[in-house]
Amino acid sequence: MDATKKTVLIVEDEKNIVDILRFNLQRENYNTLEAYDGETGLGLAREHKPDLILLDVMLPRMIGFDVCKALRDEGDNVPIIILTAREEEEDKILGLEIGADDYITKPFSVRELMARVKANIRRSKVAAASPAPAAAPVNDSVMALAENLTLHTDSFQVFKNGSPIDLTQREYELLTFLASHPNKVYSRVDLMEQVWNYGYVGDDARTVDVTVRRLREKLEDVPAEPVYILTRRGVGYYFSNQGVSEK
Ligand code: CA
């Protein structure tokens, strides 16, 4: 395999879908790996550390959600795009809740899928420069986001009270985007465009809500009473550097 190319792991049990994905990914200059069941997919992900995973939900031997969950539990923050069937609305949200970065509905448009692959890999490229250490290097540049909350810009890590918080790529980007414009309220549409790089939203706005919820669970002392990522009801979300819960 060409090591200069990005590698996409396809985990999908429908041969014709794998064929379409492989053809289009290779045409766009990606290396591809394939697995036709969840267990093999998980093994390939651990062994080859791909740059992105396209993960079907209904798979033999181990369902996609369990593959995703296993990788996240191991601290692997590889971008994961879940492939869901159109009729399985709840699968989208469930996938995001267990740590997927994105989902796409089957049957998908190849153009849209490739755009999402590209957007997710572009984001992770930034973090790939980071060795993801447990502690920040000594010469790391440190930025205070709020009291007790610091951003180490060289290692792409966020620390709360001196301890690193394990964020996915998307959570990290959402937090740093909001924190770089404290107290400015962004709608979900704004955030989809600015953080997700999508020029459209539709029902995908729920993606923002789920990501905010996950971020709060990791960041806030009491996720139900956030002090950092706040909601302006009916408008959107903003970052407060005051560390005071909004009532
Ligand atoms: Ca399937």
Side-chain angles (χ1 to χ4, degrees), residues 13 15 18 26 31 43 49 58 94 116 131 156 219 246:
D13 60 331
K15 177 92 172 60
V18 175
Q26 291 185 353
N31 286 322
K49 299 283 170 211
M58 296 312 292
L94 184 58
R116 293 206 180 190
F156 300 95
L219 208 62
E246 191 184 62

Side-chain angles (χ1 to χ4, degrees), residues 87-102:
E87 59 272 21
E88 307 293 341
E89 276 298 308
E90 285 313 303
D91 280 1
K92 300 176 181 178
I93 302 306
L94 184 58
L96 296 169
E97 279 172 350
I98 59 174
D101 295 88
D102 210 345

Side-chain angles (χ1 to χ4, degrees), residues 12-14 56-60 106:
E12 165 65 75
D13 60 331
E14 284 170 69
D56 184 29
V57 176
M58 296 312 292
L59 288 164
K106 292 191 280 189

